[in-house]
Amino acid sequence: EQANYLAGIKNDEQRAKEQARLENENTKREIGRSEYNAKEKARLKKEADIKYQNDLTKITEDAEKKRLEDEKAFREKAYQDEQKFIDDSFAQQQLIATQTITNEKDLQNALQQLELDRLANQIQARKDAGQSTTDLELQLARLHLRLRVLYPPFRARSMAR
């Protein structure tokens, strides 16, 4: 009867706590029916209550550990999905650029801007996931540096009078 009752509880933590409560009640009932004297029965019931409290603490700790593991797995899956979206988007935009831009210099500029945007999006995705961004930030800095060397910024002439 208790097994059916417990099976009806969907939440693992609540089911484990209820099972511990039922076991504690059953133990105390058996102690009450035993032939021990009142003092011994009181000691055994106290020990049963201590065991019950320890069981509840362990159940709660295990449930929290599982919740944290599940949350971590969910965040990791979301991060992986976001990375896939960024990469797929980048590939699609590259394809469109190569199919529509005929001027080689304009195409190179567009592709480099797409790469900058991709790196910036990946950095943000890692930050959102609580992961290190150092390697991507280094890639982004190197790309910026390379672009400055290849395409020096326009410098306004001084207007000395």
Side-chain angles (χ1 to χ4, degrees):
E1 184 179 313
Q2 288 181 353
N4 288 338
Y5 167 69
L6 291 172
I9 301 173
K10 301 296 181 204
N11 181 296
D12 291 341
E13 179 182 7
Q14 291 303 322
R15 184 175 42 257
K17 285 181 177 181
E18 186 62 13
Q19 182 174 354
R21 185 187 68 77
L22 292 172
E23 288 173 4
N24 185 45
E25 286 179 2
N26 291 339
T27 301
K28 286 179 165 182
R29 193 175 9 254
E30 289 175 23
I31 292 169
R33 291 185 207 150
S34 70
E35 296 181 14
Y36 293 112
N37 64 39
K39 185 176 181 182
E40 189 65 14
K41 285 181 181 182
R43 183 187 68 74
L44 291 171
K45 285 181 180 181
K46 184 176 181 180
E47 286 177 8
D49 284 338
I50 291 171
K51 180 188 179 305
Y52 172 62
Q53 290 303 317
N54 290 339
D55 289 348
L56 287 181
T57 299
K58 182 171 181 351
I59 290 166
T60 301
E61 289 171 353
D62 290 349
E64 179 64 13
K65 182 179 176 185
K66 183 180 182 328
R67 187 188 67 73
L68 291 173
E69 288 170 356
D70 290 349
E71 187 178 303
K72 181 180 178 182
F74 176 80
R75 279 194 318 267
E76 183 61 30
K77 170 86 169 82
Y79 169 73
Q80 294 299 331
D81 290 347
E82 188 169 4
Q83 286 300 315
K84 183 177 179 344
F85 175 79
I86 290 169
D87 290 342
D88 290 349
S89 231
F90 174 69
Q92 183 67 31
Q93 290 172 344
Q94 273 186 317
L95 179 63
I96 291 169
T98 55
Q99 290 175 340
T100 58
I101 301 173
T102 55
N103 180 309
E104 185 63 29
K105 184 177 180 185
D106 291 343
L107 176 61
Q108 288 305 313
N109 286 340
L111 293 176
Q112 289 166 351
Q113 185 58 51
L114 286 173
E115 179 64 16
L116 289 171
D117 293 345
R118 183 184 71 82
L119 284 171
N121 286 332
Q122 286 181 331
I123 289 169
Q124 188 57 53
R126 280 195 185 177
K127 284 181 181 177
D128 292 346
Q131 297 181 352
S132 173
T133 60
T134 306
D135 60 326
L136 290 179
E137 289 179 32
L138 183 58
Q139 278 183 334
L140 186 60
R142 286 179 179 157
L143 182 57
H144 275 293
L145 183 61
R146 193 176 91 233
L147 293 177
R148 267 192 240 128
V149 170
L150 294 175
Y151 306 101
F154 173 76
R155 295 186 182 180
R157 294 182 183 186
S158 65
M159 309 241 329
R161 293 184 194 205

